[in-house]
Every structure is written in structure tokens, then in C-alpha cells.
Amino acid sequence: MLDRVIATPTSQDRTQCLVVGAGVVGLAVAWELAKQGLAVTVLERQPECGLGASAAAAGMLAAGVEAGAPGPFLDLCRLSSKMWRDWAEQLFLDSGVDCELQTTGLLRVTSSAESISDLEVRRAWQLTQGIDVSELLTLDQLRREVAGVSGTVVAGLLYPDEGHVHSHRVTQALELAARHLGVRIQTGVEVASVTVDRDRVLARTPDQDFEADFAVIAAGSWSGGLLAQLGVRVGVDPIRGQMAAVRLPPGSLPRIVFGDRGYVLQKRGGLVLIGATQEAAGFDSWVTLAGLERLSQIASHLLPAVGEAAFAHSWAGLRPHSAGGPLLGRVPASDRVLVATGHHRNGILLAPATAALLGQALLSGADSPELAPFSPRRVVAG
Ligand code: FAD
Ligand code: GLY
């Protein structure tokens, strides 16, 4: 399959691979395919790259708290987590942009005495998976890790390997790195349909049709319509996340503090992010007063100083959620169209592994075993 892909001639209007969507996932896939020598065109309906969910992300790389049980999703998160350092270094070399990767460690805290046993259960299975996690820590011990943890917190765990990146810098770096390798990125172009006609894929837009040997659909929360046309029976639902930021002196918050209902973390420049709501609100991506109230409560329950700090700004984004986890691999209708979406709360964390596995799948002609549990050909339960 690789020879065939590489040998296909390209022209201005026919490329080897079209990528629909220029969020972190589409850009990561485009960069990967370009590294493998493919001619790639990215089509993005917004005037700029990275304005979807990727613009809203807190940027946490937090497999230890995001994966709820052992299994393929945890394995994918851990694979990607391990890839992040080298990936960020390569991105810096290709783009000159520093993603601000910081391995700060993360405190998973709880304010509920009943939840302590949940933390202990989680810790027990995580140890069997080789995840680095501390013993259960008391409030005093947690305050030695992060001064000012709220007195309502009763216990917590420390995950020393978790950290975060600056999500805007990540999409900026990916865009520059991809362009540097010759990827064409066309913004302001909304794809209405993707169809397959024997040896070519056709992406229709209001002004123009684009032809390619392959296509990757990475349109985040808006992927559902395109995928349904290609026989995918798993939906993609938007889950709104509202966030707010306050200002504290840089270095005030040395670790991520992740509670029962939300989290706080500090970026290198000092901005402290408070996240996030999780709401099924359709495609409305605005901030609400009720959302801000929830974020204010999250801050006060984790670190009262954050609740008292100067408000900077707030925003919201739509996480692409698919039942059963991300959708990664070939669509039912054709081997020429692949999907990379449904990353929900973890698209930033999962970008390196997604790009590597999708790239491998496209070039080899077969989805790898790691992708099998996430196949867009899976049948919806119930
Ligand atoms: P998007 O970034 O939404 O990109 C999809 C792109 O496709 C958009 O630019 C859109 O305009 C374009 N598009 C859509 N339809 C079309 C079309 N028909 N034609 C052309 N273009 C189209 N993840 C983490 O790993 N760590 C975190 O800490 C984290 N925090 C989060 C906090 C919040 C509040 C939210 C909302 C999300 C968070 N996430 C986090 C999740 C992460 O942001 C998403 O999983 C990720 O950004 C999804 O990336 P994407 O490229 O699939 O989608
Ligand atoms: N991963 C954090 C969030 O989605 O809010």
C-alpha cells in the first residue's frame, strides 16, 4: 500500500490525502503524513486553524485521572503520554514553537470521605498497570505539595508523571510544522460531504470539489454528519466545557490540583486555569453565568486563593464525545476514508498516538491491533 500511496501523481486539485478539520487532531495527522512523505491538504471551515475544542483545552496530559479502568483506552492514553516529550521536541525543531510542556505532577484530591475508598481502589489497579501513584496523602501532606489546598479536602493521591502543555501553542506549532513540510492548509472551506468513487475520494465544498487518494475526517464535534454518510453508526456528540482563568504570580501553583468536580492548573506565564463544566448543550459554545458560578465553586473547593484572584477571562469549547471512546481507523463504506475523532476530554493528550497510529494505518493499508477497539466500524451497543 505504501508504494501505491507514494507513487500516485499529485496535482493542484488532486492530492494524496485530504484532512477535514484543523484542530489538534487534524493538524497532528497532517504533520505525521507529511513526515511520511505524503502530499496533504487540510480543509478547515473557520478562518484560522485551531478555533474548535482545541482552543478551549486546559492542555492536561493526565492519563492517571482521565482513564477510569484498565483497558484499551488507558493503554492508548499511556502510549500517547509516553510519546509527548519527544513529540514536543520534534515539534519545536519543525516549528520553532515551544508547547510549554511541564511535568508538574498532579494531585487528585477529594472532599468527600466516602470517595476515599474510590481513590484507594483506583490506586490499587493503577499500581498493577505500572502507573506511578503515591500512597493516600492527608491534607497536611497535600499542602506540602501545593500550599493553600482547601481545608475541605480530606485526602488525595499524587501522580508525579502527569503534566500539561499550552494548547494554543500546540496547534500553532502543528500548523507551522505541517506547513513547513509542504502541507497545504485551506481555511474558510467547509466540507459538505465526503464520498468515494472507485480510486478517488471526493470532498464537496460550496465552491469547489477536492479529490484525493485518501481522506481523514477530523472535524471534532461536527464530524457526525460526514461520518453518517460513510456508514459510521457511532455518533459524535458535542459536550460543552466552560473554563475561566485568573491571574496569580507565576509559580504559585506547582502542581495540577484535580478534584471531584474540576481542576486548577497554572501556565508558565502565571495564568491559572479553572476547569471545566461538562454539559450536553448542543452546539452552543458560549459561557453562561451558571457555568461561571460552577467554576467559582470548583476553585474555592480546591484552592481558595484562586477563587479570590483577579479574573482574567473565560471561554468554552465543545468536546467531541463518542460512545465507547475515540473513533480511529477506517470507515465502513471504504478503506480510503479514515476517521480521527471522539477524543472527548483527551484530544491534546491523545494527539501524538492518534497521529502515529492513523499514519501507520493509512500507509500500511490496515488498521493496527491498537486501533481495533476504536474502530469506526464498531457496532453501537444497545
Ligand atoms: P476540534 O479542535 O474541535 O477541531 C475540529 C475542527 O474541524 C474545527 O477547527 C472545525 O472548525 C473543523 N470542522 C468541523 N466541521 C468541518 C467541516 N465540515 N469542514 C471543514 N472543517 C470542519 N484534552 C486534553 O487532552 N487535555 C485537557 O486538559 C483538555 N481540556 C479540555 C477542556 C475543555 C474545556 C474542553 C472543551 C476540551 C478539553 N480537552 C482536553 C479536549 C480537547 O480539547 C479535544 O479532545 C480536542 O481539542 C479535539 O480536537 P479535534 O481536532 O478533534 O477537534
Ligand atoms: N480533560 C479536561 C477536560 O476536558 O475538561
Side-chain angles (χ1 to χ4, degrees):
M1 182 61 96
L2 176 60
D3 291 347
R4 192 154 158 256
V5 171
I6 298 296
T8 311
T10 58
S11 67
Q12 270 298 93
D13 35 29
R14 177 155 179 158
T15 187
Q16 287 176 309
C17 190
L18 283 173
V19 175
V20 182
V24 68
V25 173
L27 290 171
V29 170
W31 181 47
E32 175 65 25
L33 294 176
K35 281 192 281 184
Q36 304 291 339
L38 264 71
V40 182
T41 298
V42 178
L43 303 176
E44 165 57 50
R45 68 175 182 175
Q46 296 282 355
E48 286 169 36
C49 297
L51 295 181
S54 305
M60 283 181 293
L61 311 177
V65 291
E66 291 285 350
F73 182 68
L74 173 71
D75 297 344
L76 187 69
C77 288
R78 294 193 71 204
L79 170 70
S80 210
S81 199
K82 287 192 187 116
M83 293 172 71
W84 247 104
R85 187 155 294 280
D86 288 349
W87 206 68
E89 277 170 18
Q90 190 58 49
L91 255 185
F92 180 66
L93 292 176
D94 283 9
S95 69
V97 176
D98 177 3
C99 295
E100 298 191 7
L101 171 61
Q102 302 184 71
T103 308
T104 53
L106 176 152
L107 295 181
R108 170 66 176 97
V109 303
T110 184
S111 302
S112 138
E114 297 86 67
S115 298
I116 293 177
S117 57
D118 295 342
L119 290 188
E120 282 173 331
V121 169
R122 175 179 275 271
R123 175 176 183 271
W125 69 252
Q126 288 184 329
L127 289 174
T128 69
Q129 302 292 307
I131 294 176
D132 195 355
V133 49
S134 73
E135 289 177 352
L136 199 68
L137 303 178
T138 62
L139 178 59
D140 281 349
Q141 289 170 316
L142 291 166
R143 282 177 166 168
R144 266 175 244 144
E145 301 295 333
V146 175
V149 168
S150 163
T152 60
V153 166
V154 289
L157 297 168
L158 168 63
Y159 292 87
D161 296 339
E162 313 286 55
H164 54 95
V165 286
H166 193 300
S167 53
H168 293 189
R169 302 248 192 289
V170 176
T171 45
Q172 192 190 7
L174 282 167
E175 178 183 355
L176 288 170
R179 285 191 194 275
H180 183 66
L181 292 184
V183 172
R184 284 169 65 203
I185 300 178
Q186 295 197 217
T187 54
V189 175
E190 176 156 10
V191 175
S193 71
V194 174
T195 53
V196 182
D197 172 16
R198 283 191 297 274
D199 67 340
R200 60 172 198 162
V201 180
L202 202 63
R204 293 222 138 89
T205 77
D207 298 325
Q208 193 188 342
D209 290 348
F210 290 83
E211 258 185 63
D213 300 325
F214 294 90
V216 176
I217 296 182
S221 288
W222 302 270
S223 301
L226 297 174
L227 296 184
Q229 297 164 7
L230 292 157
V232 177
R233 293 169 66 185
V234 184
V236 184
D237 301 310
I239 303 295
R240 184 169 66 194
Q242 302 187 44
M243 297 209 40
V246 299
R247 293 186 202 287
L248 282 175
S252 305
L253 186 42
R255 297 191 190 279
I256 301 168
V257 183
F258 195 109
D260 301 318
R261 292 187 303 158
Y263 49 82
V264 292
L265 67 149
Q266 189 169 35
K267 296 296 169 189
R268 214 182 268 167
L271 218 54
V272 174
L273 310 194
I274 308 155
T277 66
Q278 200 156 293
E279 309 154 75
F283 287 90
D284 295 338
S285 61
W286 51 67
V287 173
T288 63
L289 282 178
L292 288 178
E293 197 179 335
R294 245 172 290 160
L295 294 171
S296 162
Q297 284 164 4
I298 288 168
S300 312
H301 280 98
L302 294 175
L303 274 160
V306 172
E308 297 301 324
F311 178 78
H313 57 120
S314 61
W315 63 94
L318 301 176
R319 305 176 182 92
H321 174 262
S322 292
L327 288 164
L328 306 172
R330 290 176 155 74
V331 301
S334 171
D335 283 351
R336 289 184 175 275
V337 183
L338 292 87
V339 187
T341 192
H343 296 79
H344 193 219
R345 295 176 55 95
N346 292 292
I348 308 290
L349 167 64
L350 292 172
T354 298
L357 293 171
L358 252 270
Q360 218 173 65
L362 194 148
L363 289 161
S364 69
D367 292 2
S368 66
E370 289 100 324
L371 288 182
F374 307 108
S375 173
R377 295 178 172 175
R378 67 185 187 244
V379 176
V380 200

